[in-house]
Amino acid sequence: MYCKNCGERIPENSKFCLNCGATINAYEPKPIVELEAATGQVAEPEEQREKKGCGRILVLFGVCIILFAIVIQGVDESSVVSSGAPALPAVASATEATQAETSLSPRQQQIRAAFEAGAQWDIEDTIKRLLKNPDSAEFTHNKDGWSADNAILTGDGTVKYTNASGSSVVETFTVSVITTDEHYFPLFVKLGDSVSADDRKGVNSLGLTTKAGESIFGTEQSHSIFKDDAVNLVVVTDEFRQNMTLAEFNRIKTGMRYEEVTEIIGSFGTELARSEVAGYQSVIIAWDGNGDIGANANVTFSNGQVMAKAQMGLQ
């Protein structure tokens, strides 16, 4: 039987409700069919309600497990993103660096390769020789400012070092060097406001001694300052600049020296013939030309000076 006041099931013939304490008058619930008719819902047997209650608990427990798994997965994913985040700038930097490299012209790439192959070290070594504490030097190079005039490579930047009094100093530098794979000459050196060397007038851009350079480099005019090591000269040029143009040909004048002619053309040319008669030494140097197929030019030097020239097909 059931309590009429609270609806709890109580033992048969009870005088009061153990749940709410109400005095019990005999009460029976409506039949299932009557309840269905009154509410439009199917009343479930008590046993089924108990099973369903257990099912709900299981479902809620399952939902909690799923939510917990989602939270854990979210934490793991956030950890992956977080740990990967610092790598993003590096990837971007690598991409920017690659784009910067590919944006360089072929000539700019040649210049950069020449510096990275040795000229950068030559420049740093030149500056260190001026310092009291060379091991303290820290260089920052202006790579975008690296330039080349055939074999003369010029770079600038800043250097931080400890001076003789122990103070930290930062100064700008500009250095021009001419180099082979084993030796180099500093032609122009400026640290801060002080220029310690400027021998650029003593040599042409291909390392050939000028008249003024004989006393500087101890080498005969029109000869390489590197002597036997001249074959390893580092030169930044291209096929077009190595060949002679008609404009360059027209600039060559009688009486010019070999170092003047090579400065105009930007390359050494190829010796075709050499002879010596009655104390006069004659040398014929030829260059490929820019122009028609087979375009070329040659210059005849007598005792080191231009005596004659000829060309075919130059433009």
Side-chain angles (χ1 to χ4, degrees), residues 1-263:
M1 61 183 294
Y2 296 86
C3 175
K4 188 175 181 180
N5 183 57
C6 67
E8 282 294 317
R9 189 171 185 175
I10 56 178
E12 294 291 334
N13 301 319
S14 296
K15 300 298 184 181
F16 59 90
C17 177
L18 297 175
N19 180 57
C20 65
T23 301
I24 298 302
N25 294 320
Y27 166 75
E28 292 294 336
K30 292 183 179 180
I32 291 177
V33 176
E34 292 180 1
L35 184 61
E36 291 176 355
T39 64
Q41 298 179 354
V42 176
E44 297 174 345
E46 181 176 348
E47 182 179 356
Q48 182 67 22
R49 288 199 303 271
E50 291 175 354
K51 289 182 179 179
K52 189 170 183 179
C54 292
R56 287 174 179 170
I57 294 173
L58 291 175
V59 170
L60 289 173
F61 182 74
V63 170
C64 290
I65 292 177
I66 293 173
L67 290 175
F68 180 77
I70 291 173
V71 171
I72 294 299
Q73 182 178 3
V75 170
D76 291 341
E77 289 178 351
S78 65
S79 298
V80 172
V81 173
S82 176
S83 62
L88 292 179
V91 172
S93 297
T95 302
E96 290 171 0
T98 302
Q99 291 174 344
E101 288 294 332
T102 56
S103 66
L104 296 176
S105 68
R107 177 172 174 78
Q108 289 172 321
Q109 292 178 23
Q110 286 182 325
I111 292 174
R112 185 155 296 192
F115 272 85
E116 293 176 347
Q120 179 176 325
W121 184 92
D122 297 339
I123 289 173
E124 292 182 1
D125 185 60
T126 298
I127 295 297
K128 286 180 178 180
R129 291 175 183 271
L130 302 176
L131 306 179
K132 294 293 185 180
N133 299 298
D135 293 338
S136 67
E138 298 177 10
F139 291 88
T140 300
H141 292 271
N142 175 24
K143 294 186 178 183
D144 292 336
W146 284 348
S147 64
D149 179 11
N150 291 322
I152 298 178
L153 307 175
T154 302
D156 63 83
T158 59
V159 57
K160 179 181 179 181
Y161 64 93
T162 302
N163 63 15
S165 63
S167 300
S168 181
V169 178
V170 177
E171 290 189 294
T172 60
F173 67 83
T174 301
V175 178
S176 294
V177 297
I178 188 164
T179 180
T180 70
D181 54 2
E182 293 184 2
H183 306 96
Y184 78 93
F185 280 101
L187 300 179
F188 178 81
V189 183
K190 182 179 181 181
L191 178 61
D193 297 326
S194 177
V195 175
S196 58
D198 190 357
D199 297 326
R200 291 173 292 183
K201 291 183 178 180
V203 65
N204 79 352
S205 64
L206 291 171
L208 300 180
T209 308
T210 64
K211 184 64 177 177
E214 288 183 321
S215 60
I216 297 173
F217 301 103
T219 307
E220 187 180 350
Q221 186 177 0
S222 295
H223 288 68
S224 174
I225 61 176
F226 292 104
K227 301 179 181 178
D228 294 339
D229 194 31
V231 293
N232 298 316
L233 184 69
V234 176
V235 182
V236 178
T237 186
D238 52 46
E239 183 177 354
F240 184 85
R241 295 189 70 206
Q242 289 177 356
N243 296 345
M244 189 185 295
T245 66
L246 181 58
E248 291 170 342
F249 179 84
N250 291 334
R251 289 174 58 192
I252 299 172
K253 305 299 181 183
T254 302
M256 280 186 172
R257 305 284 300 190
Y258 179 57
E259 78 275 6
E260 295 175 293
V261 173
T262 55
E263 181 69 19

Side-chain angles (χ1 to χ4, degrees), residues 270-291:
T270 303
E271 184 176 312
L272 293 183
R274 178 183 292 266
S275 64
E276 186 171 350
V277 178
Y280 287 89
Q281 185 181 73
S282 296
V283 180
I284 300 175
I285 308 294
W287 284 266
D288 290 333
N290 289 324

